[in-house]
Structure formats: structure tokens, C-alpha cells
Amino acid sequence: MEKVLKSDAEWRVQLSPEEFRVLRQAGTERAYTGEYVDTKTVGVYSCRACGTELFRSDTKFDSHCGWPSFYEPSKSEAVTLIEDRSMGMARVEVRCATCDSHLGHVFHGEGYGTPTDDRYCINSVSLRLEPAG
């Protein structure tokens, strides 16, 4: 997929203030407030900014962390992983590989018993669910 490059002004026109804060400024929505935290709907989760497919519902699991959790992206090239040392800790930020929007963070080795032992902890506001059907 071709890279999506837009100015902050262009993103502000396209996104709501909350979407802009999370997707473009690496913000985080409050825990347990996102629309997809408890969603069981079968479908595809895409980037809310550019529409790139990111995750599928069959990799979503209940981590009880307050955000939607997935054990792997749809395609390995769909996301970019970046070291994040903000907030006084070492984490791995997850971004959309197409538009470079912030999605959340990925954590490894927490013992959830998923096939990858990864937890992609993703902000609902960064995603759009297209139900299967």
C-alpha cells in the first residue's frame, strides 16, 4: 500500500479532536471507555485515519486491560514497531505502517496463553471495525 502523507492541518480536517490527539499526537484514550473494548463482532479492524487493514477479530482476546487486545496484526507489514521510552519506561509503540498513526503499544511475555504471547494493546479510537457479512 502506498504511504499516506498529510499535514497536521489536513489530519485535523479529517479527524475528530480525540482521534487527532490519539492517532497523530500519540495520546491514549481512558481505559474501559473505547467502543471496541468488549466487542465480540466478527470482522476486520482498520486504521481510522487511512483505512489500512490492521487486525482481524479472530486474533482479538480478553486481556481485561481496558483496551482492545490482539495477539497479532493481520499482516506483519501492516504495523510498524518503535521503541518508546516516554513515561519513564521502555515500551514498544505500534503505528500504522501506511500513515504512521499511533495505535497503541505491544507487550510480550505476559502469559496470556495466546499463540504469540503478544498483546497488542490498541486504542479503540485508532480503529474502525468492518463487520463480516
Side-chain angles (χ1 to χ4, degrees), residues 26-93:
T28 301
E29 66 192 359
R30 286 190 357 250
Y32 299 101
T33 64
E35 67 181 303
Y36 301 130
V37 173
D38 297 316
T39 300
K40 305 284 189 224
T41 304
V42 174
V44 173
Y45 290 87
S46 299
C47 177
R48 194 170 295 218
C50 73
T52 296
E53 180 180 319
L54 299 171
F55 301 95
R56 293 187 168 257
S57 60
D58 59 355
T59 65
K60 189 173 188 284
F61 69 100
D62 292 325
S63 68
H64 308 288
C65 71
W67 293 272
S69 297
F70 304 86
Y71 61 79
E72 68 183 355
S74 294
K75 302 173 186 116
S76 61
E77 67 273 6
V79 299
T80 305
L81 304 180
I82 299 167
E83 183 179 6
D84 176 3
R85 293 206 168 266
S86 67
M87 309 291 258
M89 63 183 109
R91 300 182 294 176
V92 178
E93 180 184 7

Side-chain angles (χ1 to χ4, degrees), residues 61-63 71 108-119:
F61 69 100
D62 292 325
S63 68
Y71 61 79
H108 181 74
E110 296 178 314
Y112 279 103
T114 60
T116 62
D117 203 15
D118 287 336
R119 175 174 57 96

